Amino acid sequence: MSLDRQESAAGGRLSQLLDSPVFGMAPWIAMSVIVGPGRYEWAVGISLAIAVAIVIAGHLRHRGTSFKILEISDVVFFAVMVIIGIFASPGAHRWLETYAGEISNIALLVIALGSMAIRQPFTLQYAREQVPREIWNEPAFLRTNYRITGVWGAAFGVAAIAGAYGDLVLHNANNLWTGWIIQIAAIIVALQFTSWYPEVVRARVRRERNLPGPPEPPVSAMLIPLAGYLTPVGIAVLAFDAGPAWLGVGLIVVGLLLVKSLSRATSAEADVGG
């Protein structure tokens, strides 16, 4: 591949990322991962900076288009969290440090459900920038965005439940499982579904219309990163003594074997489809 084509491909991938709902959810992902005791100011400050940068970048790239529901919600929510943190009493500040993660996860769940309730799932505005206008009202296109938005809402709902369990039941906001492993796993699932499911829908539509194109990507393709996540989780279990040694070793081995098995299945599906 020539340098020009490589640069063009890289630019295309960057453009696709910037027009993805994943880009709009970056502040929430940052908040979910960073927040914890002693890290409230860092978490909300970084998340607000990311949110503002995303709005500015989107406005510069798509002049004349309306602001996106998710991006405006990002700025408003994190600006309010920063202001509350500045004026909160010491007791309220400690409460925020403990529960800010759950609050942000629940907020995104509400945004996801609310956007679907008004028939404007928040991924729809991003998706419309990547397809011709004549596709905007097609049932398959609309269903795809409802489902992707729903998956993101579910992912942050799981993250909220995990964090609340760690805080309220285990009384340990830094618990490796509830504060990190489960929440990151939920985000990985949503990220993979966002990438995988539209390709599935496109392949099905092409097949129904007898049009040429790549085959439907198998479920194994979506699961490979999640399987790969098991290996670093196993390493973390061993490094931080977050469970018995056999569990850490087992997760490492299972992760490696699953990645190998799923990769073979994906390659076999691609060969059959080709």
Side-chain angles (χ1 to χ4, degrees):
M1 183 182 290
S2 68
L3 181 59
D4 289 342
R5 291 180 64 186
Q6 288 178 338
E7 291 176 348
S8 177
R13 286 192 294 270
L14 177 60
S15 179
Q16 187 176 24
L17 174 63
L18 294 176
D19 288 336
S20 166
V22 174
F23 192 56
M25 279 175 279
W28 304 90
I29 295 173
M31 181 72 174
S32 180
V33 172
I34 298 170
V35 75
R39 301 191 298 271
Y40 177 82
E41 291 87 352
W42 278 103
V44 296
I46 291 172
S47 298
L48 177 59
I50 294 172
V52 172
I54 287 172
V55 170
I56 293 172
H59 179 68
L60 292 176
R61 294 186 70 247
H62 300 286
R63 293 182 182 276
T65 60
S66 59
F67 290 106
K68 296 180 175 66
I69 294 172
L70 180 60
E71 294 175 359
I72 296 303
S73 299
D74 291 353
V75 173
V76 171
F77 177 81
F78 290 111
V80 169
M81 293 293 278
V82 167
I83 293 169
I84 291 175
I86 292 172
F87 294 102
S89 65
H93 198 275
R94 286 192 296 272
W95 187 89
L96 284 170
E97 286 187 338
T98 301
Y99 297 108
E102 287 86 276
I103 292 171
S104 63
N105 287 327
I106 291 171
L108 187 56
L109 172 60
V110 170
I111 291 169
L113 295 177
S115 69
M116 290 192 290
I118 63 173
R119 301 181 183 276
Q120 286 292 322
F122 65 68
T123 61
L124 191 61
Q125 290 175 298
Y126 295 91
R128 283 177 172 169
E129 292 177 348
Q130 302 180 50
V131 300
R133 182 177 289 271
E134 57 267 22
I135 295 177
W136 287 10
N137 294 316
E138 287 194 5
F141 178 73
L142 297 173
R143 282 196 305 270
T144 298
N145 283 280
Y146 273 102
R147 288 171 183 171
I148 294 175
T149 300
V151 166
W152 274 104
F156 280 89
V158 168
I161 292 170
Y165 186 84
D167 292 335
L168 299 174
V169 179
L170 302 179
H171 303 291
N172 180 7
N174 284 320
N175 179 273
L176 185 67
W177 289 94
T178 60
W180 298 88
I181 293 173
I182 296 174
Q183 296 194 38
I184 292 173
I187 291 172
I188 291 174
V189 171
L191 285 168
Q192 284 302 109
F193 187 83
T194 301
S195 173
W196 171 82
Y197 188 65
E199 295 300 322
V200 171
V201 175
R202 292 187 190 105
R204 290 174 180 174
V205 170
R206 284 194 297 266
R207 187 171 63 244
E208 291 170 0
R209 299 176 180 179
N210 295 317
L211 297 173
E216 181 178 322
V219 176
S220 58
M222 183 185 72
L223 296 178
I224 289 174
L226 190 61
Y229 179 58
L230 294 178
T231 297
V233 168
I235 294 171
V237 168
L238 294 175
F240 297 101
D241 196 24
W246 63 263
L247 177 60
V249 173
L251 287 169
I252 293 171
V253 173
V254 170
L256 293 172
L257 293 176
L258 274 178
V259 168
K260 188 174 183 179
S261 176
L262 291 170
S263 297
R264 284 179 178 173
T266 301
S267 297
E269 288 280 350
D271 291 339
V272 171

